[in-house]
Every structure is written in C-alpha cells, then in structure tokens.
Amino acid sequence: MMAGERNPASCYLDERTFRLCCQLFLQHSETIQDGWSWEQIKGTDEGFIKKTLLIPIKSSISHQQLGCSIQDENMAADDIQANVEDETAGVQAVCEIHAVLRYEYHVLYSCSYQIPVLYFRASTLDGRPLSLEEVWSYVHPNYRQRLQQGPWDTLTQQEHPLLGQAFFMLHPCRTEEFMKPALELAQAENKKVNYIVTWLSVVGPVVGLDVPLSYSTEVSAPD
Amino acid sequence: MSDNAESPTENQKDDPSIQHTTTEQSGSSDEKKKIDVLLKAVGDTPIMKTKKWSVEKGRTVQSLSQFISRFLKMDPSEQLFIYVNQSFAPSPDQEVGVLFECFGSDGKLVLHYCKSQAWG
C-alpha cells in the first residue's frame, strides 16, 4: 500500500480487537477507580465489561431526570439517600430526590453485528426491576425525542446472551451513524481510536452512564 | 456583536450566551466567562455559515447541540452528534468550559458535529 492510500475506517470490529480495547479501557478505569470490571465466561475466551451505578432521580417541575451517579455500592441505602441529598442541595435547590436507582451496565460483543452492544438492567434499591416505560422515561432528554421516533428499534428488553437474564438493550443497528464520523475524523489526523472509548462515550450518556473525559486522552488503541 | 457574519436573529434572542465572535472580540474574555468554540461539520452534515461562536463556559453540550440543531433546522427525527478531540463524544451534561480547559488550543475549542440520517 502506498503512503497516503487508506482504506475507509471500518465501523466494525472483530472479537479480538474488542477484547484488546476492553483491556486498555479497563486499565484506565482502574487508574481512576471508575468501577469497571471484566467478567469472563467460564471455559471460554468470551467475556464482557460491566459497571454498576447508583443514580438518584432528580425531579424538577418539568420532568424527572437521572442525577449524578454514585459509584460506591458499599454504602447503606440510608447513607446514600442522605449523602445524595447533601450533595444536590448545593447544586440545585429546587430538586428533590425521589429515589435512587441501581443501573448495571454490560458491554458485550455481538458476533452477528460485529460491534459492541450495551445491555443494562435497572432496579430500585429494594430490588424492584424498572419497567420498560420507566427506563424510557429516564433516557437523557438530549436523545429522548429522537429515540421515541422509533422505540421498537432502539431500547428494548432482551435476554442477556451470556447470562440468560432479562436486560434492556440499546439496539446496535445505528452504530455506524455515530462511529463512522468519529473514525474518519481520527483517521484524517492519523490517529488511532479505541473503539470502546469512542462508542461508549456516545451510547453511555443516553442511559445514564457518563464516560470521564480522561478516557479520551489516556486510553490507547490496540496495535 | 458582529457585522461580518450572518446570524439568525431568533437564535440570538433565545441564546444570548451563544454569540458569534468578531475579530475584535477573539480570545476568551474572563469578565464575560466565555470561550471561543469552532464548529466543524463532518461528512455530509450541513456546514454552518457561522463557525466561530463565543459561548458561556457554563453552557452544556446539550444546550449547544440544541442550538446547532435549530440553526440547521433539523427534523426531530434527526440526531446531532458532537465530538471533541476528533473521536470522543462529551456527555450532554458536560460544560463547554471544562472541554475548553481539557481540549482547547490556540484560544479555541474545536468541536466536530455530525447529523444522523432521518428515521425511516
């Protein structure tokens, strides 16, 4: 291949690259204590990364919204309520905390789509699973309108491919729409991209999961 | 305020914290707590006639996204994606001032934006 010739950036990744990207992602997560871990499926090479967040529900006059999450799962429920209220009191006096929800996110590799897929489950602190309607209501307002144009395509309940339990899933069919521009931009600058970092930075915030900015600069791409 | 770039008056009314910059006002102003943002279109996404904007530091990515969507007269079924550092999507709740601190150079923050296809 001559210098300057380039294949267009592919929106797909193979499973090996997925695992490598996850490993690099996890290294940074450890560094900043961002709470991600690798779950290996026994007897296989397969696995996924996961993270659990405790997210308070803020309520303003117009709508309810997921507030800033807390990562420390070891706090007792009462302590969490108190701390969250103290924290938010300083930020937005008009917001009340109605509840704290538990969101558990899994990033799996889809062999059929050849891309990562975000699965998550959500429940109240006393273990009641959220309904699909409730989960929809907590989709970030920045995305809610557009996702609602075709809810049957985007946010659905699915059986977790590896655990066999009921999860919610962000359908991957539109992944190319937001990955292609990012990959092309990076390629134009001769930069390589960690697919998981880029991908998660887009899909995570849709459902309450923020990716800290440091991932953008501190996580390298696999060779 | 500028005479050298066309600006949609409706947007200026709605978003006094987002103004196009003039050559006289380039660079961030501590008094007004604004930063300069350079918006670059990706792919087939329409290019904004005015690319350089002066934005309050506390403005969120979501707010800027809404501004761009209105400017481009986007359909509700279309989604706008914003990227910083070429290939990272900042959280919609992130403040542009923080992005400027992390990724700003030459006195400005470069953000790429891309419009998705309309649904269906």
Side-chain angles (χ1 to χ4, degrees):
Chain A
M1 191 183 291
M2 291 175 62
E5 277 181 22
R6 235 170 253 290
N7 292 325
S10 170
C11 298
Y12 305 99
L13 80 169
D14 57 78
E15 191 156 10
R16 181 178 166 272
T17 307
F18 168 79
R19 278 203 300 276
L20 290 173
C21 288
C22 286
Q23 274 175 30
L24 293 161
F25 181 93
L26 286 168
Q27 280 172 18
H28 186 63
S29 172
E30 289 254 351
T31 305
I32 62 170
Q33 296 188 307
D34 195 31
W36 287 92
S37 62
W38 176 259
E39 290 288 307
Q40 186 96 8
I41 303 301
K42 283 201 189 113
T44 73
D45 272 348
E46 285 180 83
F48 55 92
I49 55 171
K50 77 172 202 182
K51 175 176 171 175
T52 299
L53 285 179
L54 297 171
I55 312 181
I57 302 299
K58 295 189 302 187
S59 176
S60 58
I61 295 159
S62 53
H63 61 267
Q64 290 194 321
Q65 189 171 327
L66 297 180
C68 296
S69 60
I70 315 156
Q71 235 161 263
D72 188 356
E73 276 202 290
N74 296 323
M75 293 162 82
D78 291 343
D79 291 345
I80 290 160
Q81 282 282 33
N83 287 337
V84 159
E85 277 159 5
D86 288 343
E87 223 178 82
T88 13
V91 173
Q92 264 181 285
V94 293
C95 274
E96 288 177 2
I97 304 298
H98 282 261
V100 175
L101 301 179
R102 186 176 179 274
Y103 270 64
E104 184 183 331
Y105 304 93
H106 294 193
V107 175
L108 270 67
Y109 179 74
S110 164
C111 293
S112 42
Y113 285 96
Q114 300 244 299
I115 45 177
V117 182
L118 183 63
Y119 286 82
F120 65 98
R121 52 184 168 190
S123 63
T124 61
L125 281 186
D126 48 19
R128 178 183 72 77
L130 296 190
S131 67
L132 184 59
E133 290 72 35
E134 283 173 301
V135 165
W136 263 110
S137 75
Y138 297 132
V139 165
H140 195 289
N142 192 54
Y143 305 98
R144 198 180 292 149
Q145 184 174 31
R146 198 238 173 171
L147 281 186
Q148 279 168 346
Q149 303 279 324
W152 49 90
D153 258 342
T154 47
L155 184 55
T156 57
Q157 276 175 306
Q158 297 277 328
E159 187 179 288
H160 191 290
L162 299 174
L163 302 181
Q165 295 161 359
F167 269 70
F168 298 105
M169 180 193 81
L170 269 186
H171 202 277
C173 62
R174 298 266 156 173
T175 299
E176 193 179 348
E177 276 180 1
F178 58 82
M179 285 306 294
K180 187 159 176 279
L183 294 170
E184 285 178 351
L185 280 173
Q187 195 175 56
E189 300 282 321
N190 283 326
K191 280 187 188 177
K192 288 172 70 177
V193 156
N194 184 302
Y195 195 105
I196 294 297
V197 170
T198 295
W199 172 84
L200 196 58
S201 73
V202 177
V203 302
V206 177
V207 288
L209 173 67
D210 281 352
V211 178
L213 291 175
S214 60
Y215 280 91
S216 165
T217 49
E218 301 304 313
V219 182
S220 48
D223 292 327
Chain B
M1 306 295 252
S2 164
D3 293 325
N4 62 3
E6 194 186 306
S7 66
T9 48
E10 57 176 18
N11 286 328
Q12 288 240 294
K13 258 191 289 184
D14 294 342
D15 284 303
S17 64
I18 300 177
Q19 295 172 324
H20 53 264
T21 58
T22 64
T23 47
E24 293 85 40
Q25 286 180 267
S26 60
S28 61
S29 164
D30 284 329
E31 292 163 293
K32 294 178 190 170
K33 294 188 165 48
K34 288 189 179 186
I35 53 131
D36 285 350
V37 175
L38 182 60
L39 296 173
K40 292 189 171 180
V42 185
D44 298 332
T45 304
I47 299 171
M48 292 171 77
K49 275 191 200 158
T50 307
K51 298 180 181 53
K52 210 171 173 198
W53 295 88
S54 187
V55 182
E56 269 180 16
K57 286 181 180 178
R59 207 79 187 181
T60 63
V61 167
Q62 175 178 354
S63 163
L64 190 60
S65 184
Q66 283 168 351
F67 176 79
I68 299 170
S69 303
R70 282 203 304 272
F71 199 112
L72 296 178
K73 297 183 169 50
M74 275 169 54
D75 193 83
S77 66
E78 295 174 310
Q79 181 75 49
L80 190 77
F81 297 105
I82 291 181
Y83 306 92
V84 75
N85 202 26
Q86 277 85 47
S87 56
F88 188 84
S91 159
D93 301 323
Q94 186 63 267
E95 292 180 4
V96 296
V98 174
L99 294 181
F100 179 80
E101 281 168 35
C102 295
F103 302 107
S105 69
D106 297 329
K108 63 185 186 301
L109 172 69
V110 175
L111 294 176
H112 287 93
Y113 65 92
C114 171
K115 186 181 77 144
S116 72
Q117 295 161 12
W119 204 274

